[in-house]
């Protein structure tokens, strides 16, 4: 029964994290489009707060995922090819998360050099990665 609770909270925190991961680049789109100083300052506050809000969800997702792997054991980990693929994509999500922090700081310094189109692309790519994670976790194809 414990494993089911861990899985439930792991999925919950992952969903909360992904909601922020999808929204933060959308804020960057709007921020990159604005020319108003007061609006830009408001976006800076929103971006920083959102990143700080979702980071604990990212950490809890990680801790619970490691706990689930620990409970299932190393033999299960070695035999689960799908999990290796999933963990590779998850690692990229954590790198992406840190890149978003970098961008929060770039905007905070008024040093953005990217177009709104760049941020639209940045906003859409993680959707495909999340789809891959869900397919791997549910179908366990290998």
């Amino acid at each position: 029964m414990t494993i089911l609770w861990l899985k439930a909270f792991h999925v919950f925190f992952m969903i909360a994290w992904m909601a922020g991961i999808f929204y933060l680049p959308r804020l960057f789109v709007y921020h990159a489009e604005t020319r108003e100083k007061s609006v830009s300052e408001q976006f800076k506050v929103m971006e920083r707060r959102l990143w700080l809000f979702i980071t604990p969800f990212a950490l809890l997702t990680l801790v619970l995922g490691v706990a689930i792997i620990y409970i299932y054991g190393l033999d299960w980990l070695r035999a689960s090819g799908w999990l290796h693929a999933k963990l590779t994509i998850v690692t990229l999500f954590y790198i992406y998360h840190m890149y978003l922090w970098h961008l929060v700081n770039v905007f905070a310094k008024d040093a953005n050099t990217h177009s709104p189109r760049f941020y639209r692309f940045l906003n859409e790519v993680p959707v495909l990665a999340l789809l891959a994670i869900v397919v791997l976790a549910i179908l366990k194809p290998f």
Side-chain angles (χ1 to χ4, degrees):
M1 191 61 148
T2 300
I3 192 73
L4 295 178
W5 281 105
L6 289 174
K7 286 181 177 181
F9 281 108
H10 176 70
V11 170
F12 171 78
F13 288 122
M14 183 273 305
I15 291 169
W17 177 33
M18 288 300 111
I21 285 285
F22 294 151
Y23 187 55
L24 187 54
R26 181 54 48 185
L27 289 177
F28 294 155
V29 170
Y30 302 140
H31 195 162
E33 289 176 339
T34 191
R35 300 292 170 245
E36 303 258 349
K37 182 71 173 162
S38 63
V39 174
S40 178
E41 292 303 315
Q42 184 63 41
F43 277 124
K44 290 176 189 180
V45 171
M46 293 169 66
E47 291 157 359
R48 179 176 172 77
R49 285 182 179 171
L50 179 58
W51 193 89
L52 293 172
F53 180 74
I54 65 172
T55 297
F57 299 142
L59 295 174
L60 288 165
T61 300
L62 178 63
V63 167
L64 292 168
V66 169
I68 292 166
I69 291 170
Y70 177 79
I71 289 172
Y72 276 114
L74 287 179
D75 289 337
W76 174 78
L77 175 62
R78 284 188 204 104
S80 301
W82 66 270
L83 183 59
H84 294 250
K86 176 188 168 199
L87 291 175
T88 300
I89 299 168
V90 167
T91 299
L92 294 173
F93 258 114
Y94 282 96
I95 292 167
Y96 179 80
H97 183 90
M98 294 311 297
Y99 181 62
L100 293 179
W101 176 244
H102 165 73
L103 293 174
V104 166
N105 289 315
V106 166
F107 275 108
K109 296 174 187 171
D110 294 320
N112 176 50
T113 58
H114 296 296
S115 70
R117 185 172 184 209
F118 170 82
Y119 294 112
R120 281 188 183 88
F121 177 75
L122 192 69
N123 183 222
E124 294 166 4
V125 170
V127 173
L128 299 175
L130 181 59
L131 174 62
I133 287 173
V134 170
V135 167
L136 287 166
I138 301 297
L139 300 180
K140 297 173 180 45
F142 48 89

